[in-house]
Amino acid sequence: MTPRPTHAPPPQASTPTSRPIPAQRRASAALADGPDRPCKAKPQPAPPWVDPASNRECDLEIVNLQDLEQDAKRILSPRRYSFIEPVGDGVSYRENLRAFEAHPILPRRLRGIKAIDLRTQLLGQALPFPIITCPMGSHGRFHVEAENATARGTGAAGTLYVSSGAANQTMEDIAGATSGPKWFQIYMNRDMEINRWLCKRAREAGYTAIVFTVDALGASQSDAYVRHGRYTPPDLTIGNHDPKRGGRGDFRDQKRDITFEDIRFLREESGLPVVVKGLTHPDDVDKAIGAGAAAVWISNHGGRQIDGVPASLTLLEAAAKRVAGRVPVIFDSGVRRGIDVFKAIALGADVVAVGRPVLWGLINGGAGGVKTVYEHIVRELKEAMLLAGRANVKDITRDSVG
Ligand code: FNR
């Protein structure tokens, strides 16, 4: 088991840590009786699973996002949940959480703030707040509605959904599920024709940027996942894969010898801006911008690729300094609270992406769960800004944190 993160008190083992929205908002029949919390039920696909994915659909009353992890682990079997766990000894995962503690917020007072304005812009797209959903693969393991529910919940919250190249549904289906803006994330295939085809499909499906993930080059998995025999439920496929084109569409077909040249390739083939995800070194950030990156995404993949690397937050400031405003900086890894979003922006991020908490929302409440994860973190961010004396996102400057 992964040790608990250091900055959240452990919930009581037998107590559900978040509650569903009260009874009048619930469907009267077919409740998905999860651990202690009634929710509407989505139909389960046949055959009936002994080890089912979540079929829950409800808004959640959330005390804090970290609590949802505990509940997600009570809803799914350890076998299904193992895909979410960090790799190795979980050192980088814990570091991602701990690093936020090293930057205390330095509030300013008496600023007469009447309203908090969270609006921001990202590559020409207006966002209601500076928080977006990370690309994450294989949501069919977690919920019967898979990526469609995550995309719908993100869209209902009004923000950007980044559709993973390793999703279980097709990028066209997912594009149709969200009412919000959307980007497509690619793991490059060894077959450049397949990359061309994916770029074309993404453009035609209405995605407005390609996210090129450069820090995952194979089957890096948690020990728990390996122990469970690298379990993939038999009904799950890689949504974007066409067997007629050969290969399996997963990491076994991945192009591992990627270079900065591939940024140019993706830009030319898609005609879309390319966001490079998984950078941490300032020199790499520089080279990516030189090769045409429209934005850089500072991330260590949430401690899910190589263990033993520093927290993403620890590397953010130096990377953002090198960017020097040339392109937007996106940040992820370890964001669990509104104050975490605040700190990442103070250290140089323009927009912050949330990973696991969105999946915990999906498992606990489907699209409604995802939407309420956003409502909760946005509320926390607003409170943090008010109490720290920062009225809008641009006011969250470097001197806002120690
Ligand atoms: C991921 N992540 C990821 N990244 C990516 O570019 N493409 C992908 O398909 C996936 N798949 C994926 C699956 C799961 C289960 C997780 C938890 C993560 C990484 C993700 O985009 C992001 O970098 C981290 O999740 C951020 O860390 P936190 O917020 O989860 O701590």
Side-chain angles (χ1 to χ4, degrees):
M1 282 292 276
T2 311
R4 284 199 62 78
T6 54
H7 76 342
Q12 298 301 306
S14 60
T15 316
T17 49
S18 60
R19 283 173 295 127
I21 296 290
Q24 49 292 18
R25 305 257 303 265
R26 282 190 255 128
S28 56
L31 295 180
D33 293 328
D36 315 336
R37 285 192 287 137
C39 249
K40 287 179 219 162
K42 293 280 171 188
Q44 290 278 6
W49 290 99
V50 281
D51 167 21
S54 170
N55 67 342
R56 300 162 67 82
E57 176 57 50
C58 52
D59 290 2
L60 302 169
E61 272 180 7
I62 298 169
V63 175
N64 74 59
L65 295 185
Q66 188 64 55
D67 283 352
L68 296 178
E69 178 182 28
Q70 199 76 2
D71 294 342
K73 286 182 172 173
R74 297 164 72 208
I75 292 165
L76 293 187
S77 68
R79 189 160 75 145
R80 277 190 186 256
Y81 194 86
S82 64
F83 194 71
I84 298 179
E85 302 279 14
V87 294
D89 295 316
V91 173
S92 298
Y93 179 80
R94 288 194 301 281
E95 276 297 295
N96 281 341
L97 303 175
R98 198 199 54 78
F100 286 96
E101 294 177 9
H103 293 283
I105 292 173
L106 304 174
R108 299 301 304 272
R109 307 293 190 210
L110 302 168
R111 291 193 150 184
I113 294 174
K114 292 197 168 52
I116 300 292
D117 183 358
L118 290 181
R119 286 174 301 171
T120 195
Q121 292 275 333
L122 182 60
L123 296 183
Q125 179 71 54
L127 297 178
F129 44 77
I131 316 172
I132 64 174
T133 297
C134 287
M136 289 175 287
S138 211
H139 297 193
R141 293 168 190 270
F142 312 130
H143 197 274
V144 292
E145 280 199 293
E147 286 83 8
N148 274 346
T150 329
R152 199 165 74 248
T154 301
T159 197
L160 178 95
Y161 186 74
V162 185
S163 187
S164 165
N168 295 126
Q169 287 161 332
T170 67
M171 65 169 103
E172 291 80 7
D173 273 357
I174 298 166
T178 177
S179 51
K182 48 195 174 286
W183 291 353
F184 175 69
Q185 177 263 323
I186 193 165
Y187 285 128
M188 280 190 84
N189 197 290
R190 277 198 298 265
D191 179 343
M192 294 307 264
E193 272 316 305
I194 290 185
N195 295 322
R196 283 196 178 89
W197 173 65
L198 292 171
C199 284
K200 181 169 176 288
R201 280 175 62 189
R203 192 181 58 242
E204 288 174 1
Y207 292 90
T208 57
I210 301 290
V211 175
F212 176 25
T213 296
V214 298
D215 64 353
L217 298 171
S220 196
Q221 299 295 0
S222 71
D223 291 356
Y225 185 78
V226 177
R227 256 183 227 116
H228 286 296
R230 301 174 198 273
Y231 170 69
T232 297
D235 62 331
L236 290 190
T237 53
I238 300 281
N240 292 321
H241 179 54
D242 176 0
K244 290 202 278 304
R245 288 179 178 258
R248 303 175 197 238
D250 64 9
F251 66 90
R252 282 166 286 205
D253 300 343
Q254 223 176 308
K255 181 176 195 285
R256 292 186 175 206
D257 56 349
I258 50 174
T259 69
F260 290 94
E261 265 310 300
D262 291 308
I263 300 174
R264 281 186 236 284
F265 172 89
L266 292 172
R267 210 174 54 151
E268 279 161 22
E269 290 303 324
S270 67
L272 297 172
V274 174
V275 177
V276 182
K277 174 174 183 281
L279 298 172
T280 49
H281 197 290
D283 291 350
D284 289 345
V285 160
D286 225 13
K287 285 184 183 164
I289 297 172
V296 293
W297 190 317
I298 310 304
S299 168
N300 67 12
H301 217 103
R304 215 174 152 276
Q305 287 303 314
I306 175 172
D307 197 21
V309 295
S312 301
L313 192 78
T314 306
L315 303 171
L316 170 62
E317 188 173 14
K321 268 197 182 136
R322 188 69 73 86
V323 173
R326 284 176 289 170
V327 297
V329 175
I330 301 163
F331 169 83
D332 78 31
S333 298
V335 175
R336 304 290 182 266
R337 290 257 186 203
I339 57 168
D340 297 344
V341 177
F342 183 98
K343 291 176 183 185
I345 292 173
L347 293 170
D350 294 289
V351 164
V352 173
V354 180
R356 288 179 182 83
V358 167
L359 293 181
W360 299 333
L362 174 72
I363 295 162
N364 278 279
V370 171
K371 178 180 66 87
T372 40
V373 159
Y374 271 107
E375 287 167 358
H376 179 81
I377 196 165
V378 165
R379 197 162 47 242
E380 282 191 343
L381 175 60
K382 276 189 170 168
E383 277 168 18
M385 288 170 69
L386 179 67
L387 292 170
R390 314 284 160 163
N392 58 56
V393 178
K394 289 232 172 332
D395 278 354
I396 308 176
T397 43
R398 180 62 185 87
D399 60 356
S400 311
V401 297

